[in-house]
């Protein structure tokens, strides 16, 4: 009981302080905006919220958000699928692991902008955000899956051999959970990254709907309050992802003391 | 007293340049607690791992326990942390018993080691002693002829150690299984074993001492170690 | 009757040809806004898809992948497309230079830029090269001016609007927005006007070019000619009906606000010129670009084959 | 001796396989390029190396690379400095930690492109690549420094209190090394990221010299062999960074068995 | 035999709801090895941490060792992994000896515990036993009146254990320091200590037993634990 209240108090304090920090930041923002008094440098809260309001009332607002999120999720699922395939092969065979090493290195070092152009040239422009998303997310998932598999407690594997467990049981009870626990800790930061990258892909690829297309539109019209409004939306999505992370971790690691 | 002996011969193992076993052989007695006593680093775990085929012998092994089922009570618990105690036990039952029987068998042994009430807990929530009991339950639940134990009581604190040793003694007296028990604690060895094999310095090339139960004597063993 | 129906359907599908027309976002969109909005029928049996490419990346890739049958692109891209694909020809100009030298400072001509910070977009790209060519012709050393670059007009306008930059080269329609945001901005010179003076050219330098795919032209020459005629009409209409053109452009998917388009038309130099009336302009322009960087033309000055001539 | 040869053999095998993989990839590339036979989609190795050769002969080539690397390194140093400052304060005070939480979250979720535009408006344009670099790199360094400090073995700190060590000794022998070991594992991947981000910043900010400005030029002029040539240069830099990582790790963790 | 006693009173400690010590007191004897024997979880480490001020007593503590310098031999070695053995030792010398003296002192004790040859090694390169020797050397090197030891021999394997215990015994007989020695191993206690205090069940409220060296007897202690 006492421990619980204590924990709750500490959690409560954290939340209060974070909220306070947000308030101070907003206040500072407003002060600076009023002082500079030039919406191109920095719009006031009022201007931004008016923009935000207009955005939300526009038809297509939710479709824009939905499409971006959809693209992000699809990219991650595709990456996950490929990463599982290649990660497992890489775990089993050193040759495959070594074969994919330079490929990964190359993918990871290609600057975003070149990635986009190549995606546009080689594939359909509507697929560009996916391609870019997959190429950025895949190496992360691959390395984590390979890492999770390689760092599985060898002693557990010995145990499962001594007790002659089925391959199926080994996969379900040892291999998959190990991958799951590793992915649970990184999946949301990976999603955040994916989101940013997909938005960048949308900026260049300009699909009909998408946050990136919208931001580019505001930018072309030099509508700074509009850009900030979209920024706030992106930040809210990121915030939601962080909460999701907490939930995922709590659910995944119930077995930890 | 009729004793069936099981011989394992041609044990050879080197790590890189370090020879641990050279043409080593050991004789176990069926349905007895066979103790292997030796200093740290003399090759006890290596020997057990060869017997249980966790590691490969360097040459071809002659083993009369080749085809027997083996349970292994590890020094660390080696329970899967993310499934409950019950599921950990059930996992090794799966290929050996019908679904309907499993629950009873699991229940029986969990009660016997005294942790039935913890069956739905995850290992990390329990103390080291409790986990080691689960480790023991898992070994007995598995329909093995051989039970291998690698210093199973080492990391348990003294107060629980006695209890768990007694639990083990009670179960093993009821069930007839061949136990290979590795330890470096002479008192444990005397308390639990039917015979004691003392492992010398590495590389262990010589045959082992064999001590009849009646001759067990701490001083004697201490001097021969 | 069943058989008959199928056969007519077949006939229809065989006859109805898809034509992909691609334009870049901005002024070229206005040029075709009437056609696209009103879905003007150019010729029976053609099914026209208009698409507006919002970024240079999507525009250039869809040209290079030869997805467009007809496209309106920057005039140097026409050369790059010809040199790299050998499948695009210039059919006409839709707009001449719409870049302007603007400043909040009190200057009147290029020679007063000496010693100043001057901002431009895309180092080494056509706006930059055009300006440098003019400077060269005017005998002003480019080293005597402090050039600063950002990537595109999108980055340059905020700088000029906030006063972080005082002098720069801005194209329409961004210029209209800029003047709205920062009324202190004055238009000093039009690049096109200066170009006309220097090169004794009637129209100035070509900025937006209409290109056609050679393989498409071969089989659809009539359509192309009709289309070019309609584009000319559409541009004339837009220049007269600015407000309507703005709305139309918005509706077909242009990014720029309608009233901005309306206000910018005056300075946009939108004008359809057939290629046989403007070949010399292209040759002059290309040879000037070539002096600076062959890559801006895709490696070399395009040969005569680039000019589409009606037979 | 035997162990050494074994290790060397395994290392040797890895290297051979990676080189083999690279060769296969190059070969595949050339095959595809010859088959497609259109430099727009994919240039042949010959075209790319010709471009590369031209690039290298151009004046300013090394300055471009040098400036980009300089910007990357400076960004990282600045981030490191700020991250140390705020990380240590955050370790000492929960309030500061909580205050910076939303700030970090915001910085991390702002899409690159908006970051660049704001950096251009708010700061000097020549500084844009630095600003962008710092904003992307700082949160990573901050979180790692905070993480390293919080995960310092409490028992060591107890020991240092019992034996009444000076604060100075504690910092030099415990706190700083802990930070160092954490940073050693991530500094190079952070540099890679920084490099990519600085290049993106250069595209927008168009400084006189910089890989980003160059790539943009090739891109707009649709000079695919040129883009690939720069890509190869970026990959080589990344490869050099990976080797650097290995060296750093080997040097930093000599005390590990 | 004249003995100077050091009393610590008013020891109170609860973790959340769990009371570990309630008005507990203990008497130590100066320059003796004072053993504290007790089962796992009875509060031995907690007591040591209160004495060494690693954790705070819940109430005001009355302690006659308040101002004395303390060395602590931890159960785990608590050496800094990334500096050499020598540097680990020098670190605690720094504030207490002149630079010129340090090298000699360090050398003396490293030789005494028998690891002088390892002085330039990093801890992780050495075996647990060697590290524990360094831990002991560090405690003696430090100019303390009190040496606290929390089950220092627990994780060392038997073969080295005896050796290290003897080393400790040799050094402590030469130097006069007050040792507080916590263990749960009765034999260790008998072998090393001048007196043994047995800690009962938690919460420990009662005064302790005190056994004169002459009365040490395994059976007796075992029964009272
Ligand atoms: N994987 C390995 N590689 C190299 N040497 C090894 C390896 N495993 C064990 N050894 C060496 O082989 C010898 C025997 O090891 P083993 O673990 O069998 O000893 P043990 O008797 O079980 O010791 P302990 O009582 O500490 O468990 C030791 O000297 C050890 O250093
Ligand atoms: N930080 C803590 N929070 C809550 N309870 C604690 C904490 N530290 C110790 N305890 C509890 O206090 C009791 C005494 O712990 P302590 O570590 O002092 O025992 P110990 O005698 O040293 O045991 P061992 O022989 O296992 O080291 C134990 O029951 C333990 O569970
Ligand atoms: Mg062992
Ligand atoms: Mg303890």
């Amino acid at each position: 009981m006492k421990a619980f209240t204590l924990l709750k108090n500490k959690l409560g304090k954290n939340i209060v302080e974070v909220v306070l920090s947000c308030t101070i930041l907003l206040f500072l923002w407003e002060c600076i905006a009023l002082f500079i008094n030039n919406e191109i440098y920095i719009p006031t809260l009022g201007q931004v919220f008016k923009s935000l309001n207009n955005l939300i009332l526009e038809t297509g607002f939710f479709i824009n958000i939905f499409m971006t999120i959809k693209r992000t999720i699809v990219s991650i699922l595709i990456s996950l699928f490929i990463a599982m395939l290649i990660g497992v092969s890489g775990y089993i065979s050193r040759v495959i692991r070594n074969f994919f090493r330079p490929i990964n290195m190359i993918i990871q070092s290609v600057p975003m902008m070149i990635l986009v152009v190549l995606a546009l040239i080689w594939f359909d422009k509507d697929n560009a955000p996916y391609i870019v998303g997959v190429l950025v997310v895949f190496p992360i998932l691959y390395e984590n899956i390979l890492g999770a598999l390689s760092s599985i407690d060898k002693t557990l594997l010995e145990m499962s051999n001594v007790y002659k467990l089925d391959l199926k049981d080994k996969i379900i009870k040892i291999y998959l959970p190990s991958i799951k626990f590793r992915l649970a800790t990184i999946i949301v930061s990976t999603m955040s990254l994916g989101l940013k990258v997909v938005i960048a892909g949308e900026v260049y690829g300009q699909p009909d709907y998408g946050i990136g297309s919208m931001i580019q539109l505001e930018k072309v019209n030099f509508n700074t309050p509009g850009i900030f409004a979209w920024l706030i939306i992106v930040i809210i999505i990121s915030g939601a992802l962080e909460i999701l992370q907490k939930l995922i971790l709590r659910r995944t690691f119930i077995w930890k003391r | 007293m009729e004793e069936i002996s099981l011989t394992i011969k041609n044990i050879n193992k080197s790590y890189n340049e370090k020879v641990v076993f050279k043409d080593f052989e050991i004789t176990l007695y069926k349905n007895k607690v066979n103790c292997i006593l030796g200093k740290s680093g003399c090759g006890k775990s290596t020997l057990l791992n060869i017997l249980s085929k966790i590691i490969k012998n360097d040459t071809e092994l002659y083993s009369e326990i080749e085809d027997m089922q083996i349970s292994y009570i590890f020094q660390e618990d080696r329970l899967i942390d993310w499934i409950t105690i019950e599921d950990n036990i059930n996992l090794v039952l799966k290929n050996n018993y019908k679904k309907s029987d499993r629950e009873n068998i699991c229940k029986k042994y969990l009660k016997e080691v005294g942790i039935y009430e913890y069956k739905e807990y995850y290992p990390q929530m329990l103390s080291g002693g409790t986990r080691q009991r689960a480790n023991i339950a898992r070994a007995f639940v598995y329909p093995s002829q051989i039970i291998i134990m690698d210093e199973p009581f080492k990391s348990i604190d003294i107060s629980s150690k006695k209890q768990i040793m007694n639990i083990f003694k009670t179960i093993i007296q009821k069930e007839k299984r061949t136990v290979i028990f590795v330890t470096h604690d002479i008192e444990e060895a005397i308390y639990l074993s039917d015979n004691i094999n003392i492992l010398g310095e590495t590389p262990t090339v010589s045959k082992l001492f064999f001590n009849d139960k009646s001759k067990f004597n701490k001083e004697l063993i201490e001097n021969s170690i | 009757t069943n058989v008959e129906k199928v056969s007519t359907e077949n006939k229809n599908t065989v006859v109805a040809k898809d034509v992909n027309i691609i334009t870049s976002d901005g002024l070229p969109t206005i040029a075709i806004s009437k056609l696209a909005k009103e879905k003007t029928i150019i010729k029976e049996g053609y099914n026209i898809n208009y698409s507006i490419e919002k970024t240079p990346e999507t525009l250039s890739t869809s040209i290079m992948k030869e997805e467009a049958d007809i496209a309106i692109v920057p005039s140097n891209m026409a050369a790059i497309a010809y040199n790299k694909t050998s499948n695009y020809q210039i059919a006409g100009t839709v707009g001449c230079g719409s870049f302007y030298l603007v400043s909040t400072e009190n200057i009147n001509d290029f020679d007063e830029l000496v010693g100043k910070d001057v901002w431009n977009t895309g180092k080494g790209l056509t706006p930059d090269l055009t300006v440098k060519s003019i400077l060269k012709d005017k005998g002003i050393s480019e080293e005597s001016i402090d050039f600063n670059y950002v990537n595109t007009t999108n980055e340059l306008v905020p700088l000029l609007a906030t006063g972080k930059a005082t002098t720069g080269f801005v194209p329409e329609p961004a210029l209209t927005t800029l003047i709205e945001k920062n009324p202190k901005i004055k238009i000093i010179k039009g690049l096109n006007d200066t170009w006309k003076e220097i090169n004794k050219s009637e129209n100035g330098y070509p900025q937006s070019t209409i290109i056609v795919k050679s393989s498409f032209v071969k089989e659809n020459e009539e359509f192309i000619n009709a289309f070019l005629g309609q584009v000319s009409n559409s541009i004339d209409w837009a220049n007269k009906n600015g407000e309507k053109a703005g709305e139309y452009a918005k509706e077909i998917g242009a990014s720029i606000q309608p009233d901005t388009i309306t206000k910018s038309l005056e300075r946009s130099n939108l004008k359809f010129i057939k290629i046989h009336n403007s070949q010399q302009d292209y040759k002059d322009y290309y040879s000037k670009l070539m002096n600076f960087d062959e890559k801006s033309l895709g490696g070399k000055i395009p040969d005569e084959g680039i000019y589409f001539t009606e037979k």
Side-chain angles (χ1 to χ4, degrees), chain A, chain B, chain C:
Chain A
M1 221 16 246
K2 210 171 166 188
F4 186 66
T5 336
L6 210 80
L7 189 76
K8 220 177 155 183
N9 278 350
K10 209 180 153 196
L11 201 78
K13 263 188 208 159
N14 279 339
I15 291 176
V16 165
E17 284 168 12
V18 169
V19 169
L20 204 74
S21 160
C22 290
T23 320
I24 295 175
L25 289 177
L26 285 178
F27 180 75
L28 268 181
W29 171 2
E30 185 69 4
C31 286
I32 296 175
L34 287 175
F35 177 75
I36 291 184
N37 189 24
N38 184 341
E39 70 159 45
I40 297 172
Y41 271 111
I42 182 166
T44 62
L45 287 180
Q47 290 164 328
V48 172
F49 282 108
K50 217 179 98 205
S51 270
L52 195 56
N53 193 36
N54 290 343
L55 280 187
I56 295 173
L57 294 180
E58 252 171 44
T59 52
F61 171 73
F62 290 104
I63 306 181
N64 282 316
I65 294 181
F66 168 78
M67 286 303 290
T68 298
I69 293 179
K70 187 194 116 188
R71 289 191 186 103
T72 310
I73 292 174
V74 170
S75 305
I76 286 185
L77 290 181
I78 296 175
S79 310
L80 193 61
F81 178 76
I82 307 176
M84 278 296 268
L85 222 70
I86 302 183
V88 171
S89 326
Y91 174 63
I92 296 169
S93 142
R94 194 200 58 227
V95 174
I96 295 181
R97 203 158 62 239
N98 279 331
F99 182 72
F100 278 97
R101 239 198 249 176
I103 296 184
N104 257 323
M105 206 272 269
I106 292 171
I107 295 179
Q108 280 180 303
S109 53
V110 178
M112 189 56 200
M113 178 199 23
I114 294 186
L115 218 56
V116 175
V117 177
L118 294 182
L120 285 175
I121 299 179
W122 291 340
F123 305 94
D124 191 32
K125 96 178 176 176
D126 286 331
N127 292 334
Y130 294 106
I131 306 289
V132 177
V134 169
L135 285 180
V136 170
V137 169
F138 161 76
I140 301 174
L141 294 184
Y142 168 74
E143 288 195 352
N144 275 286
I145 288 175
L146 197 60
L149 287 173
S150 333
S151 64
I152 286 180
D153 191 352
K154 296 278 167 307
T155 67
L156 280 190
L157 297 179
E158 284 173 14
M159 182 279 288
S160 67
N161 287 334
V162 168
Y163 287 112
K164 302 207 175 91
L165 300 193
D166 286 351
L167 182 62
K168 198 187 116 212
D169 280 337
K170 279 197 240 179
I171 290 176
I172 293 178
K173 303 286 181 181
I174 300 180
Y175 289 105
L176 281 185
S178 302
I179 293 177
K180 188 175 92 183
F181 300 135
R182 177 73 77 103
L183 289 186
T185 59
I186 59 137
I187 194 68
V188 167
S189 67
T190 309
M191 271 177 82
S192 281
L193 179 66
L195 180 72
K196 278 170 76 174
V197 167
V198 163
I199 290 178
E202 287 170 349
V203 167
Y204 290 101
Q206 290 284 325
D208 287 345
Y209 290 100
I211 296 178
S213 311
M214 291 299 115
I215 292 180
Q216 178 68 7
L217 185 66
E218 304 290 357
K219 203 179 127 187
V220 171
N221 286 305
F222 311 105
N223 183 12
T224 326
I227 294 179
F228 273 83
W230 278 110
L231 198 54
I232 287 182
I233 290 165
V234 173
I235 290 172
I236 289 173
I237 296 176
S238 298
L241 284 179
E242 281 216 354
I243 294 171
L244 182 68
Q245 175 73 76
K246 296 242 163 74
L247 292 180
I248 289 179
L249 287 183
R250 200 171 300 162
R251 266 210 58 144
T252 316
F253 292 105
I254 32 164
W255 51 271
K256 285 219 168 166
R257 54 197 133 186
Chain B
M1 206 157 120
E2 158 224 34
E3 286 181 332
I4 304 168
S5 70
L6 300 163
T7 306
I8 298 107
K9 275 197 272 204
N10 294 343
I11 302 176
N12 282 291
K13 187 78 205 172
S14 316
Y15 293 109
N16 308 328
E17 306 270 88
K18 167 153 188 160
V19 182
V20 182
F21 291 109
K22 186 145 182 280
D23 285 332
F24 178 74
E25 70 172 87
I26 186 170
T27 307
L28 305 171
Y29 290 85
K30 208 177 167 185
N31 299 338
K32 299 281 165 193
V33 178
N34 303 274
C35 180
I36 296 170
L37 189 66
K39 285 191 199 167
S40 179
C42 73
K44 302 185 297 294
S45 302
T46 303
L47 178 61
L48 294 188
N49 287 341
I50 289 173
L51 296 186
S52 62
K53 293 182 215 136
I54 288 177
I55 58 175
K56 258 184 77 71
N57 195 37
D58 284 347
T59 58
E60 186 143 4
L61 192 68
Y62 171 86
S63 168
E64 288 178 7
I65 62 168
E66 181 86 49
D67 305 316
M68 299 185 183
Q69 297 244 61
I70 293 177
S71 303
Y72 204 138
I73 303 177
F74 302 94
Q75 183 177 320
E76 336 82 68
D77 53 69
R78 301 204 190 179
L79 296 168
I80 300 178
D81 279 335
W82 45 87
I83 62 178
T84 60
I85 294 295
E86 193 178 15
D87 288 345
N88 265 290
I89 308 283
N90 272 327
L91 205 56
V92 306
L93 284 175
K94 242 179 117 178
N95 290 327
N96 300 293
Y97 295 98
K98 272 179 292 174
K99 198 162 190 177
S100 49
D101 295 342
R102 281 183 222 156
E103 204 183 313
N104 279 331
I105 296 175
C106 179
K107 188 170 173 179
K108 179 183 156 213
Y109 282 98
L110 282 179
K111 283 209 161 143
E112 221 148 344
V113 300
I115 56 166
Y116 184 65
E117 56 194 310
Y118 299 123
K119 74 183 166 107
E120 277 169 5
Y121 282 59
Y122 292 99
Q124 289 207 357
M125 296 167 174
L126 304 171
S127 74
T130 316
R131 290 211 292 271
Q132 203 58 8
R133 286 173 198 230
N135 194 0
I136 293 172
R138 179 172 61 185
F140 277 104
V141 136
Y142 189 68
S144 56
Q145 288 105 292
I146 312 264
I147 293 184
I148 287 180
M149 312 204 290
D150 192 357
E151 310 190 31
F153 312 113
K154 191 182 179 186
S155 42
I156 305 173
D157 70 89
I158 28 161
S159 54
S160 332
K161 194 165 163 173
K162 262 278 158 57
Q163 269 181 45
I164 298 182
M165 275 164 65
N166 285 330
I167 288 171
F168 172 78
K169 210 167 175 172
T170 317
I171 305 180
I172 200 64
Q173 272 160 1
K174 280 190 289 189
E175 311 211 359
K176 284 295 155 220
R177 303 211 206 179
T178 309
V179 175
I180 310 173
F181 169 45
V182 151
T183 185
H184 64 225
D185 184 322
I186 299 167
E187 291 183 64
E188 271 178 28
I190 296 177
Y191 185 66
L192 291 178
S193 323
D194 296 317
N195 62 58
I196 299 183
N197 303 278
I198 295 166
L199 241 59
E201 288 292 316
T202 314
T204 316
V205 281
S206 57
K207 275 192 126 224
L208 305 170
F209 296 91
F210 170 67
N211 296 281
D212 195 305
K213 173 101 187 177
S214 58
K215 292 193 206 145
F216 281 5
N217 173 303
K218 199 176 168 191
E219 246 75 328
L220 195 79
I221 297 175
E222 216 153 35
N223 293 336
S224 52
I225 224 167
Chain C
T1 51
N2 227 352
V3 177
E4 248 178 49
K5 202 176 172 190
V6 170
S7 74
T8 51
E9 263 175 10
N10 270 346
K11 222 174 175 182
N12 279 343
T13 47
V14 166
V15 169
K17 269 195 177 166
D18 276 324
V19 185
N20 289 321
I21 299 181
I22 293 179
T23 77
S24 57
D25 200 5
L27 296 178
T29 317
I30 306 170
I32 54 141
S33 59
K34 183 162 184 285
L35 302 182
K37 173 67 180 47
E38 295 176 352
K39 300 202 167 62
T40 312
I41 295 163
I42 310 291
K43 188 165 181 291
E44 283 298 334
Y46 285 88
N47 187 8
I48 308 179
N49 304 312
Y50 293 95
S51 46
I52 298 171
E53 298 298 348
K54 305 250 172 79
T55 60
E57 287 82 12
T58 53
L59 179 69
S60 55
T61 49
S62 55
I63 303 293
M64 299 303 163
K65 287 161 82 178
E66 303 182 28
E67 285 169 357
D69 298 309
I70 301 172
I72 306 178
V73 298
S75 44
N76 76 309
M77 196 193 284
I80 296 176
Y82 176 77
N83 281 334
K84 301 232 162 181
T85 70
S86 317
N87 199 15
Y88 281 104
Q89 290 176 291
I90 299 175
T93 309
V94 283
C96 295
S98 62
F99 274 82
Y100 291 85
L101 169 61
V102 299
S103 181
T104 51
E105 287 179 44
N106 195 14
I107 51 177
N108 299 305
D109 210 339
F110 283 91
D111 47 2
E112 287 171 57
L113 295 178
V114 172
K116 287 207 158 56
D117 266 349
V118 179
W119 293 68
N120 205 346
T121 52
K123 183 169 196 252
L125 302 181
T126 45
D128 181 35
L129 299 183
T130 312
V131 167
K132 290 197 171 149
S133 154
I134 288 176
L135 290 175
K136 197 174 159 201
D137 290 338
K138 286 192 154 247
I140 303 167
S141 145
E142 61 175 85
E143 275 80 35
S144 63
I145 300 173
D146 281 332
F147 276 110
N148 292 279
Y149 299 94
V150 287
N151 190 23
T152 62
T153 313
N154 295 333
E155 286 88 37
L156 180 53
V157 167
L159 294 173
L160 286 163
T162 54
K164 281 191 76 97
T166 56
T167 307
F169 294 94
V170 182
E172 282 293 359
L175 176 57
T176 303
T177 321
L178 172 60
I179 293 174
E180 254 167 47
K181 303 235 170 193
N182 186 357
K184 281 187 257 164
I185 289 281
K186 285 176 311 218
I187 299 170
I188 313 297
K189 278 276 181 195
L191 280 194
N192 205 45
D193 300 330
T194 314
W195 186 280
K196 281 191 219 166
E197 284 166 25
I198 295 173
N199 296 291
K200 313 268 175 305
S201 142
E202 187 195 337
N203 295 309
Y205 70 93
Q207 185 169 314
S208 308
T209 300
I210 193 160
I211 56 175
V212 293
K213 188 152 77 181
S214 314
S215 54
F216 178 80
V217 170
K218 261 182 222 143
E219 288 153 20
N220 307 282
E221 193 145 1
E222 257 178 73
F223 171 85
I224 296 281
N225 288 332
F227 178 76
L228 294 178
Q230 289 292 347
V231 170
S232 178
N233 291 341
S234 175
I235 293 174
D236 289 342
W237 173 87
N239 278 327
K240 282 183 205 121
N241 305 283
E243 264 174 56
K244 262 259 145 62
E247 279 167 33
Y248 276 17
K250 181 78 194 167
E251 278 173 54
I252 62 168
S255 306
I256 312 140
Q257 295 305 319
D259 52 333
T260 309
I261 290 178
T262 312
K263 281 184 225 156
S264 69
L265 269 172
E266 195 187 324
R267 282 187 298 262
S268 293
N269 289 331
L270 276 183
K271 186 185 205 177
F272 183 78
I273 311 164
K274 282 199 163 175
I275 186 61
H276 67 251
N277 296 330
S278 59
Q279 266 197 39
Q280 197 52 46
D281 289 337
Y282 279 95
K283 284 177 184 161
D284 291 344
Y285 186 55
Y286 286 162
S287 72
K288 301 231 157 155
L289 290 184
M290 187 70 189
N291 285 338
F292 286 95
D293 188 0
E294 57 180 23
K295 280 184 197 158
S296 67
L297 298 175
K300 57 176 193 286
I301 292 189
D303 56 40
E304 290 289 324
I306 193 176
Y307 304 111
F308 165 71
T309 41
E310 299 165 45
K311 282 155 216 153

